[in-house]
Amino acid sequence: MKNDWRSRNHPAWWAFLVHRVSGVLLTLFLPLHFLTLATALQGEARLEATLRWIDQPIVKLGEVILVLLLAAHMTGGIRLLMLEFMPWRDWQKSLLAVAAGLTLAVGLAFLLNLT
Amino acid sequence: MSTLEVKVWRGGEEGEFQRFEVPRLESQTVLDVVTHIQRHLDPTLSYRFACRVGMCGSCAMVVNGRARWTCRTHVADVTDGDSLEIAPLKNLPVIKDLVTDMRDFFDKWAAAQGQFHPTTTRKDDFARVEPESPERQQVDAGIECIGCGVCYSSCDVVSWNPEYLGPAAMNRAWTLLNDVRDGANEERLAAVAGDAGCHACHTHMTCTERCPKQISPTAAIAGLKRAALKAALKGKL
Ligand code: FES
């Protein structure tokens, strides 16, 4: 028999989930990113149109989410590297809090810069 | 006197929860509840225990969804109102009711080279290990394992990959790797560095979260990863 969410409900499991989901979403985003950049190859007008499309508020919101995903995935990755390569015992939870805090800080910085 | 609503797993892999009403007592442990059911309500209920004081590691069960040592778990700390759900450990075949077949669990300790390989004989002098040495400190951090299987039951990687050695076996391997008297570390590293070994850990840390002895198998597994990397860089793995 397998475990259910009552067993998984603790901070480090959630950190794993955030890391995995942000990783998958970023992977899905990457080809889109290249496609938009590739419009430059089809002339200035195409690129301009794409850039204008990106300027819509709803797409901007998407950008904030993207920055949050990037920040979450990066801080989560640094956390894992620290857990695995540094001698440790008791401060794993603080590390998690630092990762979450940094993610939010980066997201906010980006958001404020936009407006 | 109030009563507890207790749901207990009955049957083997296939089965269902059976309801019992158990008198609520002060300082009652989950093991007390199971024992009350077996002694007074249904003598056919199967479960394991021995020491009742958190030493033998035989009483682990899944209580309200989380694996725990039941002899040291107070009902007051785990009840959901006045209800309890008691199930056998996960990730192990259920023999009957609350009893699982722990063969895989212990076979994996052996597979992870969990045996001590001495480098001296009884004719030699005692080994002197400095208590403050880093190796001895690492051993101290993991040596109190009672083999209860709580970490193994809690680990999702074991559910996803039944070959995975699991937290307890690798914690054991890590304590031996740091035992300066042991002479089989190359074999041990090779045993834990495979597909089903330390590199398969996803760092969920549920083992560390649930270990009743506050051991961190995640730390041990991270140690094994570092040791495996070092050995690989030196061409020894
Ligand atoms: S009965 Fe021995 S540890 Fe619980």
Side-chain angles (χ1 to χ4, degrees):
Chain A
M1 274 178 271
K2 296 186 177 173
N3 285 294
D4 56 35
W5 288 99
R6 292 176 296 178
S7 165
R8 295 181 183 135
N9 187 8
H10 61 90
W13 217 99
W14 288 108
F16 159 78
L17 199 67
V18 168
H19 201 228
R20 182 54 57 92
V21 170
S22 60
V24 169
L25 290 178
L26 288 170
T27 312
L28 293 180
F29 164 76
L30 206 59
L32 287 182
H33 181 58
F34 289 140
L35 274 180
T36 1
L37 286 181
T39 53
L41 297 175
Q42 296 159 358
E44 204 177 326
R46 261 316 289 280
L47 182 66
E48 263 311 311
T50 318
L51 289 180
R52 237 173 298 119
W53 180 79
I54 288 175
D55 259 339
Q56 294 176 80
I58 182 85
V59 185
K60 281 282 169 212
L61 183 72
E63 256 179 355
V64 176
I65 294 175
L66 187 69
V67 168
L68 272 177
L69 286 176
L70 272 170
H73 200 72
M74 184 186 71
T75 51
I78 293 174
R79 164 181 171 262
L80 276 186
L81 286 174
M82 287 173 81
L83 282 185
E84 292 193 347
F85 285 103
M86 292 167 63
W88 58 283
R89 282 297 293 165
D90 296 320
W91 38 270
Q92 320 94 340
K93 287 227 175 105
S94 334
L95 203 55
L96 236 165
V98 172
L102 271 181
T103 301
L104 278 183
V106 171
L108 273 181
F110 185 76
L111 194 67
L112 290 178
N113 216 359
L114 273 182
T115 46
Chain B
M1 189 172 52
S2 62
T3 53
L4 275 170
E5 283 275 323
V6 190
K7 285 196 293 175
V8 181
W9 183 258
R10 301 307 303 270
E13 286 298 304
E14 302 293 320
E16 57 185 14
F17 284 101
Q18 186 182 352
R19 286 179 175 280
F20 294 98
E21 286 192 357
V22 176
R24 179 84 175 85
L25 302 170
E26 212 189 313
S27 303
Q28 193 175 23
T29 65
V30 175
L31 187 65
D32 292 337
V33 171
V34 178
T35 302
H36 178 93
I37 295 173
Q38 205 258 357
R39 301 253 165 100
H40 302 285
L41 305 174
D42 187 345
T44 66
L45 177 67
S46 304
Y47 68 109
R48 284 199 191 104
F49 75 96
C51 72
R52 292 178 291 139
V53 289
M55 290 171 68
C56 71
S58 60
C59 66
M61 299 167 201
V62 173
V63 185
N64 286 351
R66 292 184 178 180
R68 301 184 180 270
W69 52 356
T70 54
C71 69
R72 298 285 305 267
T73 301
H74 282 257
V75 170
D77 295 335
V78 291
T79 38
D80 215 351
D82 54 3
S83 68
L84 273 182
E85 181 195 288
I86 307 175
L89 288 180
K90 312 281 179 184
N91 294 335
L92 291 162
V94 181
I95 299 173
K96 178 175 177 284
D97 303 341
L98 301 170
V99 178
T100 55
D101 181 349
M102 298 191 68
R103 233 173 316 183
D104 281 351
F105 175 68
F106 289 114
D107 283 350
K108 285 176 181 177
W109 285 49
Q113 291 286 321
Q115 315 87 342
F116 176 62
H117 294 271
T119 45
T120 53
T121 68
R122 69 183 69 187
K123 300 197 180 64
D124 295 301
D125 196 5
F126 285 112
R128 277 168 233 289
V129 181
E130 209 41 66
E132 297 308 321
S133 66
E135 290 86 1
R136 178 67 233 196
Q137 298 276 318
Q138 292 287 356
V139 175
D140 272 347
I143 203 68
E144 295 287 335
C145 173
I146 56 174
C148 63
V150 160
C151 57
Y152 191 83
S153 163
S154 305
C155 176
D156 284 311
V157 182
V158 177
S159 312
W160 297 340
N161 175 8
E163 298 299 309
Y164 182 55
L165 291 170
M170 283 196 277
N171 179 68
R172 172 67 182 161
W174 176 241
T175 58
L176 284 172
L177 203 70
N178 283 287
D179 190 328
V180 291
R181 305 163 307 161
D182 188 282
N185 279 337
E186 276 189 30
E187 294 90 313
R188 187 166 294 118
L189 262 186
V192 297
D195 278 352
C198 59
H199 301 295
C201 169
H202 280 286
T203 324
H204 295 153
M205 297 179 69
T206 317
C207 54
T208 302
E209 198 73 24
R210 303 278 176 257
C211 174
K213 301 290 289 180
Q214 269 89 47
I215 294 170
S216 175
T218 316
I221 294 170
L224 290 176
K225 286 181 183 170
R226 287 197 301 273
L229 181 70
K230 252 185 231 155
L233 288 178
K234 283 190 194 146
K236 282 192 185 157
L237 195 70

